[in-house]
Amino acid sequence: MCGIIAPADPLGRLQCIEEGEGTALTGEGKAPRVLVVDDEREIADLVTLYLKNEGCRVYTCCDGAEALRWIQTEELDLAILDVMLPGVNGFELCRRIRESHTYPVIMLTARVEDMDKINGLTIGADDYITKPFNPLELVARAKAQLRRYLRYGAPPDREEDFLEFSGLTINRATHGCTLYGKAVNLTPIEFDILWCLAENRGRVVSQEALFERVWGEKYLDSNNTVMVHIRRLREKLKEPPRNPKIIKTVWGVGYKIE
């Protein structure tokens, strides 16, 4: 099937879930709402099947115009967007989502150019998967994004969930961020990066440590994901590009908040 790498034992996995042994993504009995958009119906249907087996409520479509209607009318927790779509492409859908929503976005593409990945991350995508892919890997990444996003609804239980400095206020329990009293609309990834740097104020956090802490994956030397997200985060914090005041770059080492 084009765009899909068959998992090692898909039939055994599906049988296990059908028998009621599947693991829900949340412990609150509420099904995460996921939008899956791919113009290849076989891919869209297979991804939908795997997500439903993990307890998700899935909205599936094969063109950008229909996807836009779901984005505008439904309260979603995650969007999985193919880049090349008829009507409205995945990049434009991601832009439209980021105009008013903070839920995570995973981009799918058959193109492997670094610039495509950078463009996707720059406009607000949280993760990027190149076709062909293993659907179990996609589900694992979707689960990681959903856990990161949905956990912010929990009530605060520690003083450490609240940080305030240099006009910036960050509340980890509510995923809230303000700069001099004005709300800053951050995606879950951007918030996690800011929180990691903030709780290590005065210390340099390497790109490797930041990536592995936020994404939970092994860092590769050629990975520029952190740099792209830092740039977007600085823009939202109204940081001057050449002389940022909050998030400092320590060349050859990483980033820090003083």
Side-chain angles (χ1 to χ4, degrees), residues 105-107 117 121 126-130 133-134 136-148 189 192 206-226 229:
V105 174
I106 298 175
M107 305 294 293
K117 182 175 181 179
L121 295 173
D126 298 278
D127 203 353
Y128 209 97
I129 298 180
T130 303
F133 60 87
N134 186 323
L136 292 181
E137 177 187 357
L138 175 57
V139 168
R141 295 196 184 196
K143 290 167 69 173
Q145 294 291 342
L146 284 166
R147 287 195 184 99
R148 181 180 292 115
I189 288 288
D192 278 2
S206 69
Q207 287 200 48
E208 178 180 354
L210 195 56
F211 183 87
E212 294 182 357
R213 164 77 179 274
V214 173
W215 278 267
E217 299 178 10
K218 185 67 177 177
Y219 178 82
L220 301 176
D221 290 339
S222 59
N223 196 324
N224 54 17
T225 302
V226 173
H229 279 83

Side-chain angles (χ1 to χ4, degrees), residues 105-120:
V105 174
I106 298 175
M107 305 294 293
L108 303 177
T109 182
R111 302 170 63 176
V112 298
E113 288 84 353
D114 286 342
M115 188 53 63
D116 283 342
K117 182 175 181 179
I118 292 172
N119 286 340

